[in-house]
Amino acid sequence: MWYLCVFFHRLLDYRKPEVESLAQLFGAIEDPRNDDLPFQLQWKLPPNYHTDSPFHFVNLPSEQLAHDIAARSILVKGMYELWGEGSSYEELKESVLSYPDERKLPYLDSDSTFKITVDGFGKVISLEEQKELIQGLSYIPFKGRVKLKNPDHNFWLIEVDNYGGNNGLPPIVQKRIFFGREVGGADRKLIPTYQLKSRNYLGPTAMDAEMAFLMANQALATSGKLVYDPFVGTGSVLVAAAHFGAMTMGADIDIRVVRDGRGPDCNVWSNFKQYGLPMPVGLLRADNNLPPWRSTLKEVFDAIICDPPYGVRAGGRKSGGRKLLRGAVEPYTVPDDKRTDHIPSTAPYSLVECVHDLLDLAAKMLVMGGRLVFFYPVLREDDFAEDHFPEHPCFKLISLSEQILSSRYSRVLLTMVKTGPYTEEIAEVARIRHIEFKENHVKWLEDGNLHSAVFSPADGHLTEAGDPKLIKDPKPKYRGKYV
Amino acid sequence: MRLLTHNMLSSNIKGVVNGFPLRIEAEKVAEKSVEMNREFLKKMFQKVHWKAFVDASRAMGYTELPEKADSSMLNSDEFLNRFHHALLELHLEEGALVCPETGRRFPVNKGIPNMLLPQEEVLLSIIIC
Ligand SMILES: C[S@@+](CC[C@H](N)C(=O)[O-])C[C@H]1O[C@@H](n2cnc3c(N)ncnc32)[C@H](O)[C@@H]1O
């Protein structure tokens, strides 16, 4: 059945992937065909709406599922059984009247309580007007009692006005009125509850609560699953996974962060305690470049979620359009007063190598069907060239969601599913590459663009592309990508 | 550090072929009860190296685990309780994990195993975020 899915008008690229992930989590696929990945729902738009609009229709097998998805989501404002729509109130009335009675009457009976909410998008509707609009719905035989708090049935009248046309782009929505019965919506209270402002132990790169929850949803975090973050820092990503019931495990190279924090009541553990969440089952100090796992251990994590350490200096090339950031950071030397547990070295951890290690780890340690969810930085010098993202024979990329950070940088949340087993051959290729990285560190630093098969053969075109503007259509941008 | 983590770790010192299992030197062990999740336990049972797990539990002072185990035992509540307790409720707070080949010690402080040794062959891959 088709449901009207109304999103919050933010993080535009993250919205459909979240719903698709949750559909999978709650079992929308009755007969999982592994080779049919990526699993996709059917979507459609109201007439002449742009895909960046908050108003979409999604086809879901049951109302229960629509409810579960919306309730667990972060970006679904509401999921509705649509009773009618139109570009005028006359059209709406006709449409509602022709909606089958057997779908409507069960929700209108005299034993039930209900509430009608009027909402505007692209316009403000005064209380006075709202009252009138509700009275205008008298053609619907409501028999129940009005109850404003926790009614049995929530009805919504949503009036949309032309919107989003003021930046030289076509409007994303056009005048339209929807009337429907709510079947579920996001619990946005989670976000203030978990906001970083109130987080006990904070680091400079802690992930904000909303994004951490989106990452956990992409990873299908849930009770009984084990989720690993190899760059755990202050634990903000795992906190979100733990909120959804997952067991968590994390590692970080910085022992001061992972072991000490700022004292006995201000550390990674206390960030879980603060919300009454179960503690991580393990925290350790380890270098992701030198994994500490026993060689016979495979397929143990259900998901790996992380924000890898991309301390990146932009690569300088101008041709080739939107380049991936593949420069290395300046060598990092541990200051003298911090030299406690290790002999520091000046080896840089390049983006390419970091991603190589991450994919190799994930290929080995994720269960089949397990998910790798991580951020990947891109330089947005222009929007024309096609992006190239890391690839791996064990993985299928199922979604990529961009968030613009500044005029120059974006970060893209990649969600990959493990679709192939970690074979001897793959392990051997990875082992050789690992050694190459070690040997080539200095050289790599010098020319800054060692070709890595992690980026797939297609990557080569980045250096030799002609005018990329001729190849790709510009992707219209909306404010929502910035928020 | 819980024994689940111990069972997953091995010595990653360069040149070491058989770094598993790490021998536990226990200075301070704590017990903290956590809620049991059967589904999780059943999944982890398939992944645990049993012999190493039993030895590790003894090093932590717990001797109730059977020498041998197979998945049919997961139907017994008594077994599940013991497995749960040893896997998730025993914590090594202070001590060390000793590499079986080189004898080098990975310290465990405040419950955190430090799997990076101060040694030349380890190239620290730190980067600034
Ligand atoms: C972008 S931050 C992630 C922050 C984390 N999400 C949080 O909530 O604080 C990256 C983390 O990776 C760690 N790191 C850097 N290089 C590493 C390596 N080679 N292995 C493991 N961790 C590393 C840093 O210490 C830092 O805590």
Side-chain angles (χ1 to χ4, degrees):
Chain A
M1 173 157 161
W2 287 94
Y3 292 88
L4 174 65
C5 177
V6 181
F7 290 114
F8 288 100
H9 196 47
R10 51 186 285 101
L11 295 169
L12 307 186
D13 266 7
Y14 292 73
R15 306 184 300 185
K16 282 193 196 172
E18 184 189 39
V19 169
E20 304 214 314
S21 291
L22 295 177
Q24 169 143 17
L25 177 66
F26 292 116
I29 343 167
E30 269 144 39
D31 128 55
R33 294 145 298 176
N34 248 333
D35 32 69
D36 230 23
L37 286 166
F39 160 72
Q40 270 177 341
L41 295 170
Q42 281 176 285
W43 293 90
K44 52 183 201 197
L45 284 165
N48 300 319
Y49 273 40
H50 187 276
T51 176
D52 282 348
S53 125
F55 300 89
H56 293 255
F57 292 103
V58 60
N59 195 0
L60 295 170
S62 74
E63 177 166 330
Q64 186 61 45
L65 200 78
H67 167 83
D68 292 347
I69 292 171
R72 160 99 184 230
S73 80
I74 297 300
L75 295 173
V76 177
K77 185 174 177 193
M79 197 78 90
Y80 308 90
E81 179 194 9
L82 191 70
W83 284 18
E85 60 178 319
S87 52
S88 66
Y89 278 92
E90 292 76 59
E91 266 184 47
L92 176 72
K93 178 173 177 181
E94 244 173 71
S95 171
V96 172
L97 287 176
S98 64
Y99 193 64
D101 275 346
E102 67 267 25
R103 293 274 348 140
K104 290 185 290 196
L105 295 180
Y107 304 99
L108 299 172
D109 75 55
S110 53
D111 294 341
S112 63
T113 56
F114 75 100
K115 175 186 174 186
I116 303 172
T117 309
V118 180
D119 198 12
F121 183 79
K123 68 179 299 180
V124 180
I125 304 171
S126 73
L127 279 178
E128 208 51 38
E129 288 169 296
Q130 293 188 19
K131 246 198 210 146
E132 269 169 45
L133 290 174
I134 289 176
Q135 275 154 14
L137 293 171
S138 57
Y139 56 85
I140 304 174
F142 292 105
K143 299 236 168 55
R145 192 164 48 83
V146 174
K147 190 174 169 228
L148 298 184
K149 248 190 160 168
N150 296 322
D152 298 331
H153 309 303
N154 267 303
F155 297 95
W156 287 72
L157 180 68
I158 306 170
E159 189 177 325
V160 182
D161 222 344
N162 288 354
Y163 176 83
N166 51 6
N167 51 1
L169 299 161
I172 58 168
V173 295
Q174 292 190 354
K175 186 170 169 62
R176 197 147 191 94
I177 307 146
F178 302 99
F179 181 82
R181 179 178 62 86
E182 181 184 313
V183 300
D187 177 11
R188 294 283 294 187
K189 285 197 292 295
L190 276 187
I191 290 160
T193 306
Y194 282 90
Q195 67 182 334
L196 289 180
K197 261 194 281 178
S198 55
R199 189 72 49 90
N200 190 346
Y201 176 41
L202 264 187
T205 56
M207 187 58 64
D208 71 88
E210 181 177 33
M211 194 54 88
F213 283 124
L214 286 172
M215 294 167 87
N217 275 343
Q218 285 306 105
L220 313 182
T222 194
S223 168
K225 287 191 177 179
L226 183 58
V227 172
Y228 179 60
D229 181 350
F231 307 105
V232 69
T234 59
S236 53
V237 170
L238 292 185
V239 162
H243 171 83
F244 292 132
M247 304 278 192
T248 59
M249 194 176 266
D252 201 284
I253 202 167
D254 190 337
I255 194 155
R256 288 162 298 146
V257 172
V258 80
R259 183 188 65 193
D260 306 333
R262 288 190 230 292
D265 296 313
C266 184
N267 49 39
V268 183
W269 305 112
S270 74
N271 280 350
F272 288 77
K273 198 160 111 199
Q274 177 180 359
Y275 305 109
L277 299 173
M279 297 290 161
V281 292
L283 284 179
L284 49 140
R285 189 241 189 156
D287 181 349
N288 195 50
N289 190 238
L290 193 75
W293 311 112
R294 84 170 129 95
S295 55
T296 49
L297 187 67
K298 285 207 307 202
E299 309 200 347
V300 65
F301 300 127
D302 296 284
I304 293 176
I305 320 179
C306 60
D307 182 21
Y310 301 133
V312 265
R313 195 177 52 185
R317 264 192 332 278
K318 280 266 181 274
S319 68
R322 182 187 210 177
K323 283 184 287 297
L324 300 166
L325 294 176
R326 43 208 315 336
V329 280
E330 302 289 356
Y332 174 81
T333 353
V334 178
D336 277 342
D337 58 321
K338 301 278 160 52
R339 290 182 188 218
T340 46
D341 287 300
H342 50 74
I343 296 172
S345 106
T346 53
Y349 199 27
S350 72
L351 170 58
V352 185
E353 185 173 10
C354 180
V355 169
H356 167 80
D357 290 342
L358 181 60
L359 283 170
D360 187 50
L361 170 90
K364 183 171 185 216
M365 300 290 274
L366 280 178
V367 300
M368 287 297 286
R371 288 189 169 199
L372 170 63
V373 178
F374 66 107
F375 268 111
Y376 195 77
V378 290
L379 243 194
R380 43 188 300 265
E381 260 157 18
D382 60 45
D383 273 318
F384 303 106
E386 189 165 335
D387 302 305
H388 293 278
F389 293 100
E391 288 180 7
H392 190 284
C394 298
F395 286 96
K396 246 188 189 127
L397 179 66
I398 58 163
S399 74
L400 46 103
S401 305
E402 179 180 9
Q403 183 187 27
I404 294 168
L405 296 177
S406 72
S407 58
R408 296 198 64 207
Y409 301 103
S410 274
R411 61 179 180 181
V412 178
L413 186 67
L414 301 181
T415 304
M416 296 178 150
V417 178
K418 183 169 166 189
T419 52
Y422 190 68
T423 61
E424 292 292 326
E425 289 85 345
I426 292 170
E428 183 58 15
V429 170
R431 196 184 61 80
I432 292 168
R433 192 152 300 129
H434 181 80
I435 296 168
E436 280 168 9
F437 274 125
K438 289 277 156 271
E439 288 168 353
N440 285 335
H441 254 315
V442 179
K443 191 172 158 294
W444 192 90
L445 261 184
E446 279 161 6
D447 45 48
N449 59 355
L450 175 75
H451 185 271
S452 161
V454 171
F455 284 94
S456 83
D459 185 35
H461 110 271
L462 280 179
T463 47
E464 58 216 42
D467 186 358
K469 290 187 180 66
L470 299 174
I471 309 170
K472 281 281 156 187
D473 284 350
K475 213 201 240 174
K477 286 196 293 282
Y478 287 100
R479 220 164 32 101
K481 283 216 179 194
Y482 293 89
V483 293
Chain B
M1 184 204 65
R2 309 186 210 208
L3 292 190
L4 170 61
T5 310
H6 170 265
N7 205 271
M8 295 168 70
L9 294 177
S10 95
S11 163
N12 52 4
I13 296 171
K14 200 179 164 194
V16 166
V17 185
N18 247 322
F20 180 84
L22 295 158
R23 190 167 54 76
I24 293 180
E25 266 176 19
E27 278 166 35
K28 186 174 157 205
V29 175
E31 284 185 29
K32 298 173 200 166
S33 74
V34 291
E35 215 175 294
M36 182 189 296
N37 182 324
R38 285 162 192 271
E39 193 195 339
F40 181 72
L41 287 178
K42 286 178 181 170
K43 275 198 326 207
M44 286 305 128
F45 181 79
Q46 311 302 327
K47 302 293 168 187
V48 163
H49 185 291
W50 193 259
K51 167 104 176 55
F53 182 54
V54 174
D55 291 347
S57 69
R58 297 210 173 125
M60 302 274 281
Y62 184 72
T63 54
E64 308 289 300
L65 289 176
E67 209 66 53
K68 287 212 159 55
D70 62 72
S71 46
S72 69
M73 296 164 91
L74 292 168
N75 299 322
S76 142
D77 273 354
E78 193 185 331
F79 175 77
L80 267 189
N81 282 331
R82 290 177 185 186
F83 179 47
H84 170 74
H85 180 69
L87 190 73
L88 298 171
E89 296 187 325
L90 295 178
H91 296 250
L92 181 63
E93 292 292 323
E94 299 292 331
L97 304 176
V98 184
C99 170
E101 241 177 72
T102 64
R104 298 190 71 163
R105 302 167 79 249
F106 296 89
V108 179
N109 288 156
K110 299 182 197 165
I112 307 291
N114 184 348
M115 300 309 293
L116 251 188
L117 284 185
Q119 54 179 356
E120 317 75 72
E121 64 263 36
V122 172
L123 281 182
L124 250 195
S125 301
I126 265 194
I127 96 154
I128 313 150
C129 290

PDB file of all heavy atoms in Angstrom, chain A residues 118-131:
ATOM      1  N   VAL A 118      -3.673  20.898  11.549  1.00  0.00           N
ATOM      2  CA  VAL A 118      -3.477  21.587  10.272  1.00  0.00           C
ATOM      3  C   VAL A 118      -2.013  22.004  10.213  1.00  0.00           C
ATOM      4  O   VAL A 118      -1.482  22.576  11.164  1.00  0.00           O
ATOM      5  CB  VAL A 118      -4.381  22.822  10.149  1.00  0.00           C
ATOM      6  CG1 VAL A 118      -4.155  23.515   8.811  1.00  0.00           C
ATOM      7  CG2 VAL A 118      -5.841  22.412  10.304  1.00  0.00           C
ATOM      8  N   ASP A 119      -1.370  21.690   9.117  1.00  0.00           N
ATOM      9  CA  ASP A 119       0.049  22.014   8.982  1.00  0.00           C
ATOM     10  C   ASP A 119       0.257  22.687   7.624  1.00  0.00           C
ATOM     11  O   ASP A 119      -0.410  22.342   6.654  1.00  0.00           O
ATOM     12  CB  ASP A 119       0.868  20.718   9.071  1.00  0.00           C
ATOM     13  CG  ASP A 119       2.324  20.981   9.364  1.00  0.00           C
ATOM     14  OD1 ASP A 119       2.667  22.134   9.724  1.00  0.00           O
ATOM     15  OD2 ASP A 119       3.134  20.041   9.228  1.00  0.00           O
ATOM     16  N   GLY A 120       1.153  23.649   7.588  1.00  0.00           N
ATOM     17  CA  GLY A 120       1.456  24.288   6.315  1.00  0.00           C
ATOM     18  C   GLY A 120       2.912  24.063   5.953  1.00  0.00           C
ATOM     19  O   GLY A 120       3.765  23.976   6.824  1.00  0.00           O
ATOM     20  N   PHE A 121       3.187  23.934   4.684  1.00  0.00           N
ATOM     21  CA  PHE A 121       4.582  23.894   4.245  1.00  0.00           C
ATOM     22  C   PHE A 121       4.753  24.984   3.202  1.00  0.00           C
ATOM     23  O   PHE A 121       4.021  25.040   2.218  1.00  0.00           O
ATOM     24  CB  PHE A 121       4.939  22.538   3.652  1.00  0.00           C
ATOM     25  CG  PHE A 121       6.397  22.436   3.263  1.00  0.00           C
ATOM     26  CD1 PHE A 121       7.363  22.207   4.235  1.00  0.00           C
ATOM     27  CD2 PHE A 121       6.804  22.598   1.940  1.00  0.00           C
ATOM     28  CE1 PHE A 121       8.709  22.130   3.898  1.00  0.00           C
ATOM     29  CE2 PHE A 121       8.148  22.518   1.596  1.00  0.00           C
ATOM     30  CZ  PHE A 121       9.096  22.288   2.572  1.00  0.00           C
ATOM     31  N   GLY A 122       5.702  25.878   3.451  1.00  0.00           N
ATOM     32  CA  GLY A 122       5.885  27.001   2.555  1.00  0.00           C
ATOM     33  C   GLY A 122       4.907  28.120   2.864  1.00  0.00           C
ATOM     34  O   GLY A 122       4.821  29.096   2.133  1.00  0.00           O
ATOM     35  N   LYS A 123       4.136  27.982   3.940  1.00  0.00           N
ATOM     36  CA  LYS A 123       3.209  29.042   4.322  1.00  0.00           C
ATOM     37  C   LYS A 123       2.843  28.889   5.796  1.00  0.00           C
ATOM     38  O   LYS A 123       2.944  27.810   6.365  1.00  0.00           O
ATOM     39  CB  LYS A 123       1.952  28.992   3.460  1.00  0.00           C
ATOM     40  CG  LYS A 123       1.080  27.772   3.713  1.00  0.00           C
ATOM     41  CD  LYS A 123      -0.159  27.761   2.863  1.00  0.00           C
ATOM     42  CE  LYS A 123      -1.047  28.956   3.136  1.00  0.00           C
ATOM     43  NZ  LYS A 123      -2.259  28.949   2.314  1.00  0.00           N
ATOM     44  N   VAL A 124       2.447  29.994   6.380  1.00  0.00           N
ATOM     45  CA  VAL A 124       1.997  29.961   7.767  1.00  0.00           C
ATOM     46  C   VAL A 124       0.482  30.047   7.764  1.00  0.00           C
ATOM     47  O   VAL A 124      -0.099  30.847   7.032  1.00  0.00           O
ATOM     48  CB  VAL A 124       2.592  31.147   8.554  1.00  0.00           C
ATOM     49  CG1 VAL A 124       2.127  31.110  10.004  1.00  0.00           C
ATOM     50  CG2 VAL A 124       4.103  31.117   8.466  1.00  0.00           C
ATOM     51  N   ILE A 125      -0.173  29.199   8.545  1.00  0.00           N
ATOM     52  CA  ILE A 125      -1.630  29.211   8.595  1.00  0.00           C
ATOM     53  C   ILE A 125      -2.038  29.650   9.999  1.00  0.00           C
ATOM     54  O   ILE A 125      -1.676  29.003  10.984  1.00  0.00           O
ATOM     55  CB  ILE A 125      -2.200  27.809   8.278  1.00  0.00           C
ATOM     56  CG1 ILE A 125      -1.666  27.335   6.912  1.00  0.00           C
ATOM     57  CG2 ILE A 125      -3.721  27.840   8.273  1.00  0.00           C
ATOM     58  CD1 ILE A 125      -1.980  25.895   6.591  1.00  0.00           C
ATOM     59  N   SER A 126      -2.791  30.757  10.069  1.00  0.00           N
ATOM     60  CA  SER A 126      -3.171  31.299  11.380  1.00  0.00           C
ATOM     61  C   SER A 126      -4.162  30.373  12.067  1.00  0.00           C
ATOM     62  O   SER A 126      -4.819  29.543  11.421  1.00  0.00           O
ATOM     63  CB  SER A 126      -3.776  32.682  11.212  1.00  0.00           C
ATOM     64  OG  SER A 126      -5.071  32.539  10.640  1.00  0.00           O
ATOM     65  N   LEU A 127      -4.280  30.531  13.383  1.00  0.00           N
ATOM     66  CA  LEU A 127      -5.208  29.686  14.146  1.00  0.00           C
ATOM     67  C   LEU A 127      -6.633  29.840  13.621  1.00  0.00           C
ATOM     68  O   LEU A 127      -7.379  28.863  13.529  1.00  0.00           O
ATOM     69  CB  LEU A 127      -5.170  30.087  15.615  1.00  0.00           C
ATOM     70  CG  LEU A 127      -3.991  29.494  16.404  1.00  0.00           C
ATOM     71  CD1 LEU A 127      -4.003  29.993  17.835  1.00  0.00           C
ATOM     72  CD2 LEU A 127      -4.050  27.969  16.370  1.00  0.00           C
ATOM     73  N   GLU A 128      -6.956  31.080  13.303  1.00  0.00           N
ATOM     74  CA  GLU A 128      -8.275  31.383  12.769  1.00  0.00           C
ATOM     75  C   GLU A 128      -8.538  30.551  11.502  1.00  0.00           C
ATOM     76  O   GLU A 128      -9.547  29.848  11.380  1.00  0.00           O
ATOM     77  CB  GLU A 128      -8.316  32.898  12.426  1.00  0.00           C
ATOM     78  CG  GLU A 128      -9.664  33.529  12.486  1.00  0.00           C
ATOM     79  CD  GLU A 128     -10.383  33.233  13.797  1.00  0.00           C
ATOM     80  OE1 GLU A 128      -9.747  33.203  14.890  1.00  0.00           O
ATOM     81  OE2 GLU A 128     -11.587  32.998  13.714  1.00  0.00           O
ATOM     82  N   GLU A 129      -7.561  30.631  10.572  1.00  0.00           N
ATOM     83  CA  GLU A 129      -7.687  29.880   9.313  1.00  0.00           C
ATOM     84  C   GLU A 129      -7.749  28.376   9.574  1.00  0.00           C
ATOM     85  O   GLU A 129      -8.501  27.650   8.918  1.00  0.00           O
ATOM     86  CB  GLU A 129      -6.481  30.171   8.405  1.00  0.00           C
ATOM     87  CG  GLU A 129      -6.470  31.563   7.789  1.00  0.00           C
ATOM     88  CD  GLU A 129      -5.130  31.852   7.125  1.00  0.00           C
ATOM     89  OE1 GLU A 129      -4.102  31.909   7.837  1.00  0.00           O
ATOM     90  OE2 GLU A 129      -5.118  31.988   5.896  1.00  0.00           O
ATOM     91  N   GLN A 130      -6.936  27.928  10.540  1.00  0.00           N
ATOM     92  CA  GLN A 130      -6.926  26.491  10.848  1.00  0.00           C
ATOM     93  C   GLN A 130      -8.321  26.023  11.243  1.00  0.00           C
ATOM     94  O   GLN A 130      -8.798  24.984  10.797  1.00  0.00           O
ATOM     95  CB  GLN A 130      -5.942  26.193  11.982  1.00  0.00           C
ATOM     96  CG  GLN A 130      -4.495  26.424  11.602  1.00  0.00           C
ATOM     97  CD  GLN A 130      -3.530  25.924  12.677  1.00  0.00           C
ATOM     98  OE1 GLN A 130      -3.899  25.119  13.522  1.00  0.00           O
ATOM     99  NE2 GLN A 130      -2.291  26.397  12.634  1.00  0.00           N
ATOM    100  N   LYS A 131      -8.948  26.806  12.088  1.00  0.00           N
ATOM    101  CA  LYS A 131     -10.305  26.475  12.553  1.00  0.00           C
ATOM    102  C   LYS A 131     -11.250  26.338  11.369  1.00  0.00           C
ATOM    103  O   LYS A 131     -11.995  25.369  11.249  1.00  0.00           O
ATOM    104  CB  LYS A 131     -10.809  27.587  13.480  1.00  0.00           C
ATOM    105  CG  LYS A 131     -11.004  27.125  14.914  1.00  0.00           C
ATOM    106  CD  LYS A 131     -11.900  28.124  15.628  1.00  0.00           C
ATOM    107  CE  LYS A 131     -11.582  28.194  17.105  1.00  0.00           C
ATOM    108  NZ  LYS A 131     -11.770  29.555  17.617  1.00  0.00           N
TER     109      LYS A 131
END
